[in-house]
Amino acid sequence: MPKRLLAAALSALLLVPLLGPAPATATRPAGRAAAAWHVVRPGETLSSIGARHGVSARNLATWNQIALTTPIQVDAVLRLNRPPVPLPAFQSKIVPVTAGEVNWKASAGCPVIPGNLRKLWVSYIDFNGDYHVGSVVVRYDVARRAQQIFRILYNWRFRIMAMAPMRVNMPAQTNMAVVTAGYNCRPIGGTRVWSEHATGTAIDINPFQNPMLRGRSLSPANSALYLNRSRYLIGMIHREGAARAFLWNGFHWGGRWTSLKDYMHFSLTNR
């Protein structure tokens, strides 16, 4: 290889960022048909998106199983081609949990007993556009409103990277920082104060695409690409978009905080 070409190739490799999970794109695993997506931005309509990509508004509505006359929602992800199979209608159920399911130990002093927790099973669409059923655990009196939130997100065609059980929904993924989740008996980082996750009243959505920034501390690691909130990438949450599903149902959003930003975090107490 000529020296100039070799140098250019090496330079290109050095410029590829190490970002953990890749930014959402229109690609699928090898051996599967390529798909094309469009993340809805403020002010867009089916007609304007169709004109941009050379497809009709009617086809967009049909392929995404949404009404032609219904306004599309910011942060929704629309297919730009015909799906291999239609998406099922939203499904959900609420069931009790056992202590073992939530790793509950009396000695830890967790503020909610397992009998007051519920596992919420919901339909969701992953970043490849595939249908899954996943779960989050929340307090019993939060389950119904959380169910409504996930129904809204599904009907809006918002994408969720992964939900439990991970061995079923994303078996190759070992980074649990990408999981949308609720209950977790732990204190707020760096304190002895119980997190709202420990009370079952908080949910984190797509943590990698909606990171927490506290001073110079970024969580999850390597998610700096998503700190630019003027971008509209698959899985990102914006105030005028997916955040509304939570805000309309009594949750507060960490993306509105001033002392730190926690774009993944929704809670009932604003903590």
Side-chain angles (χ1 to χ4, degrees):
M1 178 182 292
K3 290 184 177 180
R4 282 188 298 176
L5 291 178
L6 178 60
L10 290 172
S11 297
L13 287 172
L14 292 173
L15 288 172
V16 175
L18 300 177
L19 295 170
T25 66
T27 61
R28 287 182 174 232
R32 300 182 63 183
W37 321 112
H38 180 89
V39 181
V40 179
R41 294 158 175 77
E44 291 186 323
T45 65
L46 285 175
S47 295
S48 68
I49 294 169
R52 176 176 177 178
H53 295 284
V55 298
S56 71
R58 186 172 299 277
N59 277 344
L60 285 177
T62 299
W63 295 338
N64 292 282
Q65 296 169 246
I66 56 179
L68 184 61
T69 56
T70 300
I72 54 174
Q73 305 296 326
V74 173
D75 293 335
V77 182
L78 300 183
R79 296 188 62 96
L80 301 177
N81 57 14
R82 187 185 304 276
V85 294
L87 289 169
F90 179 82
Q91 302 175 53
S92 180
K93 64 180 179 179
I94 299 169
V95 298
V97 301
T98 65
E101 286 180 288
V102 293
N103 298 316
W104 190 88
K105 296 180 176 64
S107 59
C110 298
V112 179
I113 62 172
N116 285 338
L117 295 171
R118 298 290 184 272
K119 180 175 289 188
L120 171 63
W121 290 94
V122 296
S123 302
Y124 76 94
I125 309 165
D126 73 9
F127 281 14
N128 286 325
D130 294 328
Y131 175 85
H132 295 272
V133 175
S135 68
V136 296
V137 175
V138 293
R139 202 170 66 194
Y140 73 95
D141 56 340
V142 180
R144 291 294 179 190
R145 70 174 79 189
Q147 188 177 52
Q148 177 64 10
I149 289 165
F150 282 99
R151 182 188 303 274
I152 292 171
L153 294 177
Y154 185 84
N155 289 339
W156 281 358
R157 302 308 186 228
F158 179 74
R159 301 285 178 88
I160 293 176
M161 188 170 188
M163 294 177 72
M166 290 294 282
R167 67 182 182 278
V168 174
N169 289 329
M170 192 178 277
Q173 180 62 257
T174 59
N175 180 9
M176 293 300 104
V178 306
V179 183
T180 289
Y183 174 79
N184 186 353
C185 185
R186 62 171 176 81
I188 297 171
T191 77
R192 296 184 178 181
V193 178
W194 286 116
S195 162
E196 293 307 289
H197 291 282
T199 67
T201 59
I203 298 173
D204 287 345
I205 300 289
N206 289 342
F208 196 85
Q209 291 73 31
N210 300 285
M212 181 186 73
L213 182 65
R214 186 197 306 266
R216 295 183 178 180
S217 175
L218 179 64
S219 178
N222 301 320
S223 58
L225 169 70
Y226 295 96
L227 288 177
N228 182 352
R229 306 308 290 184
S230 66
R231 291 180 171 179
Y232 289 81
L233 302 175
I234 295 180
M236 290 182 71
I237 293 170
H238 297 86
R239 181 173 182 172
E240 70 276 25
R244 294 174 301 153
F246 288 87
L247 300 176
W248 292 346
N249 283 280
F251 278 76
H252 300 270
W253 184 33
R256 287 179 164 180
W257 295 347
T258 55
S259 59
L260 63 93
K261 293 292 186 182
D262 196 350
Y263 295 106
M264 72 183 82
H265 184 77
F266 293 89
S267 69
L268 289 183
T269 62
N270 205 24
R271 292 192 294 137

